[in-house]
PDB file of all heavy atoms in Angstrom:
ATOM      1  N   CYS A  48     -14.483  -0.618  -6.972  1.00 94.00           N
ATOM      2  CA  CYS A  48     -13.497  -1.707  -6.923  1.00 94.00           C
ATOM      3  C   CYS A  48     -14.130  -3.079  -7.117  1.00 94.00           C
ATOM      4  O   CYS A  48     -13.424  -4.075  -7.274  1.00 94.00           O
ATOM      5  CB  CYS A  48     -12.766  -1.680  -5.589  1.00 94.00           C
ATOM      6  SG  CYS A  48     -13.848  -1.974  -4.163  1.00 94.00           S
ATOM      7  N   VAL A  54     -20.245  -6.583   1.783  1.00 98.00           N
ATOM      8  CA  VAL A  54     -18.821  -6.634   2.129  1.00 98.00           C
ATOM      9  C   VAL A  54     -18.379  -5.295   2.713  1.00 98.00           C
ATOM     10  O   VAL A  54     -17.665  -5.244   3.727  1.00 98.00           O
ATOM     11  CB  VAL A  54     -17.969  -7.016   0.909  1.00 98.00           C
ATOM     12  CG1 VAL A  54     -16.484  -6.843   1.209  1.00 98.00           C
ATOM     13  CG2 VAL A  54     -18.256  -8.446   0.490  1.00 98.00           C
ATOM     14  N   ASN A  99      -9.232  -3.204  -2.667  1.00 97.00           N
ATOM     15  CA  ASN A  99      -8.785  -4.296  -3.541  1.00 97.00           C
ATOM     16  C   ASN A  99      -8.048  -5.403  -2.793  1.00 97.00           C
ATOM     17  O   ASN A  99      -7.128  -6.027  -3.329  1.00 97.00           O
ATOM     18  CB  ASN A  99      -7.909  -3.774  -4.684  1.00 97.00           C
ATOM     19  CG  ASN A  99      -8.683  -2.908  -5.657  1.00 97.00           C
ATOM     20  OD1 ASN A  99      -8.594  -1.685  -5.589  1.00 97.00           O
ATOM     21  ND2 ASN A  99      -9.454  -3.512  -6.541  1.00 97.00           N
ATOM     22  N   GLY A 101      -9.841  -7.541   0.368  1.00 96.00           N
ATOM     23  CA  GLY A 101     -10.802  -8.550   0.788  1.00 96.00           C
ATOM     24  C   GLY A 101     -12.179  -8.343   0.186  1.00 96.00           C
ATOM     25  O   GLY A 101     -12.759  -7.263   0.283  1.00 96.00           O
ATOM     26  N   PHE A 102     -12.723  -9.410  -0.424  1.00 97.00           N
ATOM     27  CA  PHE A 102     -14.049  -9.349  -1.032  1.00 97.00           C
ATOM     28  C   PHE A 102     -14.938 -10.500  -0.553  1.00 97.00           C
ATOM     29  O   PHE A 102     -16.066 -10.636  -1.014  1.00 97.00           O
ATOM     30  CB  PHE A 102     -13.938  -9.418  -2.554  1.00 97.00           C
ATOM     31  CG  PHE A 102     -13.216  -8.251  -3.182  1.00 97.00           C
ATOM     32  CD1 PHE A 102     -11.840  -8.261  -3.328  1.00 97.00           C
ATOM     33  CD2 PHE A 102     -13.917  -7.142  -3.628  1.00 97.00           C
ATOM     34  CE1 PHE A 102     -11.172  -7.196  -3.921  1.00 97.00           C
ATOM     35  CE2 PHE A 102     -13.265  -6.070  -4.223  1.00 97.00           C
ATOM     36  CZ  PHE A 102     -11.889  -6.095  -4.365  1.00 97.00           C
ATOM     37  N   ASP A 103     -14.435 -11.317   0.345  1.00 96.00           N
ATOM     38  CA  ASP A 103     -15.143 -12.525   0.761  1.00 96.00           C
ATOM     39  C   ASP A 103     -15.883 -12.264   2.074  1.00 96.00           C
ATOM     40  O   ASP A 103     -15.254 -12.075   3.123  1.00 96.00           O
ATOM     41  CB  ASP A 103     -14.146 -13.664   0.938  1.00 96.00           C
ATOM     42  CG  ASP A 103     -14.828 -15.008   1.155  1.00 96.00           C
ATOM     43  OD1 ASP A 103     -16.020 -15.028   1.504  1.00 96.00           O
ATOM     44  OD2 ASP A 103     -14.152 -16.041   0.987  1.00 96.00           O
ATOM     45  N   PRO A 104     -17.224 -12.247   2.085  1.00 97.00           N
ATOM     46  CA  PRO A 104     -17.975 -11.973   3.318  1.00 97.00           C
ATOM     47  C   PRO A 104     -17.621 -12.925   4.458  1.00 97.00           C
ATOM     48  O   PRO A 104     -17.569 -12.511   5.624  1.00 97.00           O
ATOM     49  CB  PRO A 104     -19.436 -12.138   2.881  1.00 97.00           C
ATOM     50  CG  PRO A 104     -19.437 -11.957   1.408  1.00 97.00           C
ATOM     51  CD  PRO A 104     -18.113 -12.471   0.930  1.00 97.00           C
ATOM     52  N   LEU A 340      -6.292  -6.835  -6.128  1.00 96.00           N
ATOM     53  CA  LEU A 340      -7.169  -7.776  -6.819  1.00 96.00           C
ATOM     54  C   LEU A 340      -8.405  -7.064  -7.356  1.00 96.00           C
ATOM     55  O   LEU A 340      -9.020  -6.243  -6.673  1.00 96.00           O
ATOM     56  CB  LEU A 340      -7.603  -8.885  -5.851  1.00 96.00           C
ATOM     57  CG  LEU A 340      -8.597  -9.913  -6.389  1.00 96.00           C
ATOM     58  CD1 LEU A 340      -7.985 -10.723  -7.516  1.00 96.00           C
ATOM     59  CD2 LEU A 340      -9.075 -10.830  -5.265  1.00 96.00           C
ATOM     60  N   GLY A 358      -8.654 -12.009  -0.862  1.00 96.00           N
ATOM     61  CA  GLY A 358      -9.638 -13.067  -1.020  1.00 96.00           C
ATOM     62  C   GLY A 358     -10.812 -12.652  -1.874  1.00 96.00           C
ATOM     63  O   GLY A 358     -11.270 -11.506  -1.808  1.00 96.00           O
ATOM     64  N   TRP A 359     -11.283 -13.582  -2.684  1.00 97.00           N
ATOM     65  CA  TRP A 359     -12.496 -13.382  -3.472  1.00 97.00           C
ATOM     66  C   TRP A 359     -13.314 -14.670  -3.380  1.00 97.00           C
ATOM     67  O   TRP A 359     -12.748 -15.760  -3.495  1.00 97.00           O
ATOM     68  CB  TRP A 359     -12.151 -13.081  -4.935  1.00 97.00           C
ATOM     69  CG  TRP A 359     -13.349 -12.640  -5.725  1.00 97.00           C
ATOM     70  CD1 TRP A 359     -14.344 -13.439  -6.228  1.00 97.00           C
ATOM     71  CD2 TRP A 359     -13.716 -11.297  -6.043  1.00 97.00           C
ATOM     72  NE1 TRP A 359     -15.289 -12.679  -6.851  1.00 97.00           N
ATOM     73  CE2 TRP A 359     -14.938 -11.362  -6.750  1.00 97.00           C
ATOM     74  CE3 TRP A 359     -13.133 -10.056  -5.808  1.00 97.00           C
ATOM     75  CZ2 TRP A 359     -15.583 -10.227  -7.220  1.00 97.00           C
ATOM     76  CZ3 TRP A 359     -13.776  -8.920  -6.279  1.00 97.00           C
ATOM     77  CH2 TRP A 359     -14.985  -9.008  -6.982  1.00 97.00           C
ATOM     78  N   PRO A 360     -14.623 -14.577  -3.180  1.00 96.00           N
ATOM     79  CA  PRO A 360     -15.441 -15.790  -3.062  1.00 96.00           C
ATOM     80  C   PRO A 360     -15.278 -16.712  -4.260  1.00 96.00           C
ATOM     81  O   PRO A 360     -15.359 -16.279  -5.407  1.00 96.00           O
ATOM     82  CB  PRO A 360     -16.876 -15.230  -2.995  1.00 96.00           C
ATOM     83  CG  PRO A 360     -16.732 -13.834  -2.503  1.00 96.00           C
ATOM     84  CD  PRO A 360     -15.435 -13.336  -3.046  1.00 96.00           C
TER      85      PRO A 360
END
Side-chain angles (χ1 to χ4, degrees):
C48 63
V54 171
N99 293 101
F102 296 87
D103 189 342
L340 176 65
W359 190 282

